[in-house]
Amino acid sequence: MVDLVTSVSLWELIKHAGSWVVNLKRASAARKEESVNALRQVILAAQKTSVYIRQINETGLKDHNTEAELSIAWTELSFKLEDLGIDALAKRCRMKGKHWANPTQFAIEELEKADIGLEKMESLANEILSEVRS
């Protein structure tokens, strides 16, 4: 199965997200809206990537155009998140973008050492969204 993880621990990401949410609650409505939109894009990118991974697993066929789209989508998302100060999640998105651009650039050990995958990124984005709305 194809997946990508980063070396930032889940605990570090949750801790960062918590302080970010506290700051966001004091932010302007426009900044909150930008943040909600970026977090929703994480969920959409994770789902789009999951669909592509399912396609690879079911057919055994890779599509370089789809991989290029995923690389660009994850990288652009990392820029948006970075601009909003969601740095830990931005780092993960940037790594996913790099991975889809060149899946062989990371050693298996690097990927196994990290503790974040698509489901966890989507779950964290949903959790942050829930906090922002409360």
Side-chain angles (χ1 to χ4, degrees), residues 2 6-8 16 34 39 46 48 51 69-70 78 86 103 132:
V2 179
T6 69
S7 61
V8 177
H16 175 77
E34 283 180 80
L39 291 164
K48 181 176 182 176
V51 169
E69 290 173 14
L70 290 172
S78 77
I86 313 172
V132 169

Side-chain angles (χ1 to χ4, degrees), residues 49 64-78 93-94 96-102 105:
T49 304
H64 292 285
N65 289 328
T66 300
E67 291 178 10
E69 290 173 14
L70 290 172
S71 176
I72 291 167
W74 283 110
T75 303
E76 286 178 341
L77 186 51
S78 77
C93 291
R94 178 95 32 97
K96 283 196 181 300
K98 286 181 179 182
H99 172 74
W100 286 111
N102 181 3
Q105 71 182 311

Side-chain angles (χ1 to χ4, degrees), residues 35-100:
S35 300
V36 166
N37 288 337
L39 291 164
R40 286 177 176 164
Q41 287 178 19
V42 170
I43 295 165
L44 293 173
Q47 291 175 358
K48 181 176 182 176
T49 304
S50 292
V51 169
Y52 178 64
I53 290 169
R54 190 185 84 225
Q55 176 187 324
I56 293 172
N57 291 335
E58 290 177 0
T59 66
L61 301 174
K62 293 183 178 183
D63 181 336
H64 292 285
N65 289 328
T66 300
E67 291 178 10
E69 290 173 14
L70 290 172
S71 176
I72 291 167
W74 283 110
T75 303
E76 286 178 341
L77 186 51
S78 77
F79 298 150
K80 288 179 187 178
L81 293 167
E82 194 174 82
D83 290 346
L84 292 166
I86 313 172
D87 297 329
L89 191 53
K91 183 177 178 179
R92 282 178 166 68
C93 291
R94 178 95 32 97
M95 188 170 183
K96 283 196 181 300
K98 286 181 179 182
H99 172 74
W100 286 111

Side-chain angles (χ1 to χ4, degrees), residues 8-41:
V8 177
S9 75
L10 182 58
W11 172 246
E12 290 173 9
L13 184 61
I14 291 169
K15 190 169 77 171
H16 175 77
S19 64
W20 177 81
V21 166
V22 169
N23 290 333
L24 182 61
K25 286 185 177 188
R26 292 181 270 192
S28 69
R31 184 166 175 89
K32 286 179 186 177
E33 186 177 336
E34 283 180 80
S35 300
V36 166
N37 288 337
L39 291 164
R40 286 177 176 164
Q41 287 178 19

